[in-house]
Amino acid sequence: MVHTVEKLSGNKVKISFQTPAEDFEKAVEKAYLKTRGQIAIPGFRKGKAPRKLIERMYGPSVFYEDALEALFPDAYMTAVKDHDLRPVGRPELDVQQMEAGKELLFSCEVFVYPEVTLGQYKGVEVERTVRTVTDAEVDERVEQERKRVARSVEITDRALENGDKAQLDYSGSVDGEKFDGGTASNQTLVIGSGSFIPGFEEQMVGMSIGEERDLKVTFPKEYHAENLKGKDAVFHVKLLGITREELPELDDEFAAEVSDFDTLAQYREDIKTKLQQSYDAQTEEGAKQALIQKVVENATIDVPDPMVEDKLDEMIEQMSWRMQQQGFTMERYLQLLGQTEKQMRDMYRSEALNNVRTELVLDEIIKAEDIQASDEDVDKLLSSYAGSVGQTVEQLRESFGEEQLAYFTHRAKVEKALDLLWDSATVTDKAPQSEPQPDTQA
């Protein structure tokens, strides 16, 4: 069988096949022998009817499709191998000539891995936003820790104030009728938190323990319960008790209690250092992502649609797995979002395209720079993964097949390619944009 390959575009080829008449006839005969047992002809036992009789009854082309299906896979794979093609998706088959006594002419069009033309990828300019930890941010973290270790103090010698935690019974009614969810006992409510209906907490301020009071409120117009939207209500409330969080003093004793440091100054300095490390890591990661995006945008690639669809399949599958970990099915998740799977795929299609472009560009850089991964490089990645699954690197290497090890080897090459981009980049540090100040002039 003769075949030729014609390039239709940067990511699609046409393979034309020419099969001699005698080879086609052999394939038809094989198709007859394989399928004759499925054909019933009056006067003959199944599988015993002559081929010509079957062809007279069902038409001369009755075995042609089966013959072509038998010929195509080997012919296609031979062409792919001979021309070093990397197909993407299923080939689209087209028959030009398929008749008895004549050569079989057919072709297929198939997407292939696209050609990647790299643009500038070394010395790319990128900005890194440098953020410095402020004293206010340290104060906020310290205050969070104070609240975490605060102790609850019972209040018995005064009335209820903002910031207190009230223990209460309440019963609500609209037009004198109680409603579902409007009655509760031994509830807790932080006064001033805004957790209850507007006006409820404010009217409780000044109550004494044991006191009962009727609170008149109005449900918001956008309230979640349809039957209560905008309705006036009365809540009969009894205050059962008052407690208040007592924050520890900001001193060395507090620092020693919540940390490994002896003084408050040391504790604050440690918070500042860790916050700065976190900010620096985020800043560098953001700059690296911007760098990769620039390198991808500098390249020229015509990505085949099947590659994007395959990447979307992968993304949806990963999302479905995460949903299962949270007790959801993908179908339920889509219902909650009010979306169809098609709408979700459309929403993530541009992200999938960018992911494919990024992978192709990095692979091309690996090829252009002849980047290799040593056993040490691979073991570094395996070590990180081994820790997450409770195994050693040696155990992973013994249990992994060639395909799994190849994945980690490729990932190691990608990491080295990313390091190359970053090490060669021109990085400029800049301060974060300040918040716009209000105009105070008259």
Side-chain angles (χ1 to χ4, degrees):
M1 184 182 297
V2 178
H3 60 259
T4 58
V5 175
E6 174 189 359
K7 187 174 181 180
L8 300 179
S9 66
N11 61 22
K12 199 172 191 180
V13 298
K14 179 179 180 180
I15 311 174
S16 299
F17 300 90
Q18 186 176 353
T19 306
E22 56 269 25
D23 290 346
F24 179 49
E25 168 58 27
K26 290 177 183 177
V28 173
E29 179 65 17
K30 285 183 180 179
Y32 156 69
L33 295 173
K34 181 179 179 181
T35 60
R36 62 182 177 178
Q38 304 167 21
I39 302 174
I41 299 292
F44 292 88
R45 285 183 296 142
K46 263 191 176 183
K48 298 300 182 180
R51 172 181 156 187
K52 291 190 178 299
L53 179 60
I54 296 174
E55 289 176 338
R56 279 201 302 271
M57 291 191 66
Y58 292 98
S61 63
V62 63
F63 299 114
Y64 286 1
E65 291 295 331
D66 289 333
L68 179 60
E69 285 183 12
L71 287 169
F72 178 70
D74 287 342
Y76 175 68
M77 292 309 299
T78 298
V80 166
K81 184 178 180 180
D82 288 352
H83 295 272
D84 196 23
L85 301 176
R86 297 178 66 191
V88 176
R90 296 175 62 85
E92 296 177 6
L93 187 62
D94 181 47
V95 178
Q96 288 81 49
Q97 178 174 285
M98 191 161 57
E99 298 178 34
K102 294 184 179 180
E103 61 183 1
L104 172 64
L105 303 177
F106 64 96
S107 63
C108 70
E109 294 183 6
V110 65
F111 287 103
V112 294
Y113 266 69
E115 294 179 359
V116 179
T117 304
L118 293 173
Q120 182 186 4
Y121 63 90
K122 290 182 180 179
V124 175
E125 296 182 0
V126 64
E127 289 184 332
R128 174 171 55 193
T129 303
V130 178
R131 180 180 173 188
T132 304
V133 177
T134 65
D135 289 340
E137 290 170 320
V138 176
D139 291 342
E140 183 180 351
R141 287 299 180 94
V142 172
E143 193 62 22
Q144 289 173 0
E145 194 63 19
R146 283 183 79 201
K147 290 178 180 179
R148 187 185 69 81
V149 298
R151 66 189 186 95
S152 186
V153 178
E154 187 176 358
I155 306 295
T156 58
D157 58 351
R158 63 168 173 78
L160 189 65
E161 298 177 355
N162 262 325
D164 289 342
K165 182 182 288 185
Q167 183 180 5
L168 69 153
D169 296 337
Y170 62 83
S171 179
S173 60
V174 173
D175 297 330
E177 297 289 334
K178 293 185 179 183
F179 53 88
D180 290 342
T183 301
S185 301
N186 290 313
Q187 297 297 296
T188 58
L189 171 64
V190 177
I191 303 302
S193 65
S195 304
F196 272 33
I197 304 162
F200 189 102
E201 297 168 29
E202 293 85 344
Q203 293 179 64
M204 285 193 68
V205 172
M207 289 182 68
S208 301
I209 296 174
E211 181 181 347
E212 299 185 33
R213 185 179 289 185
D214 285 339
L215 312 180
K216 296 180 179 180
V217 298
T218 302
F219 282 95
K221 291 183 179 179
E222 32 318 310
Y223 196 65
H224 61 83
E226 194 70 32
N227 62 318
L228 297 176
K229 287 183 177 180
K231 294 290 184 68
D232 292 330
V234 176
F235 280 87
H236 184 75
V237 175
K238 182 177 181 179
L239 182 62
L240 305 176
I242 305 171
T243 56
R244 191 175 185 91
E245 285 190 343
E246 185 177 273
L247 298 176
E249 291 294 327
L250 278 178
D251 52 22
D252 293 345
E253 185 178 342
F254 161 74
E257 179 186 349
V258 300
S259 73
D260 296 328
F261 299 96
D262 296 326
T263 68
L264 181 61
Q266 292 172 330
Y267 175 52
R268 288 179 59 86
E269 188 60 32
D270 181 65
I271 290 176
K272 186 174 184 178
T273 299
K274 288 177 178 175
L275 280 176
Q276 191 63 56
Q277 290 173 345
S278 176
Y279 290 167
D280 291 347
Q282 293 173 19
T283 292
E284 186 161 309
E285 182 60 27
K288 286 181 176 180
Q289 291 301 319
L291 169 63
I292 294 168
Q293 193 59 40
K294 277 191 173 185
V295 171
V296 171
E297 290 170 357
N298 288 344
T300 302
I301 324 169
D302 185 11
V303 178
D305 289 340
M307 291 189 78
V308 179
E309 295 305 315
D310 286 346
K311 179 58 66 175
L312 274 169
D313 289 342
E314 181 183 318
M315 291 168 66
I316 297 296
E317 185 177 343
Q318 291 175 352
M319 197 178 302
S320 177
W321 182 84
R322 290 195 297 270
M323 290 300 104
Q324 290 174 14
Q325 299 301 109
Q326 299 175 33
F328 285 90
T329 62
M330 180 55 76
E331 291 75 16
R332 178 59 180 156
Y333 180 62
L334 290 172
Q335 287 175 0
L336 292 173
L337 291 179
Q339 288 184 334
T340 63
E341 184 172 334
K342 181 182 181 303
Q343 288 172 323
M344 175 171 281
R345 292 178 74 91
D346 290 342
M347 182 171 64
Y348 285 104
R349 183 162 275 105
S350 61
E351 182 181 341
L353 172 60
N354 190 64
N355 288 348
V356 173
R357 287 175 57 86
T358 301
E359 291 170 4
L360 290 170
V361 167
L362 289 174
D363 283 347
E364 193 64 24
I365 291 172
I366 290 170
K367 188 190 305 180
E369 296 290 333
D370 191 24
I371 294 174
Q372 302 298 323
S374 66
D375 288 343
E376 290 77 15
D377 297 325
V378 178
D379 283 349
K380 184 178 178 181
L381 290 180
L382 285 174
S383 178
S384 176
Y385 179 72
S388 67
V389 296
Q391 294 187 22
T392 65
V393 172
E394 292 72 21
Q395 288 172 327
L396 284 181
R397 280 192 173 276
E398 288 177 4
S399 63
F400 279 174
E402 290 185 9
E403 187 175 334
Q404 290 167 304
L405 285 174
Y407 167 80
F408 279 94
T409 300
H410 180 257
R411 286 305 310 167
K413 292 180 181 179
V414 169
E415 292 296 326
K416 294 181 79 169
L418 293 173
D419 289 342
L420 180 148
L421 298 181
W422 182 249
D423 292 342
S424 70
T426 302
V427 183
T428 304
D429 289 338
K430 68 170 186 175
Q433 291 184 347
S434 58
E435 294 292 329
Q437 299 297 316
D439 187 357
T440 56
Q441 295 184 351

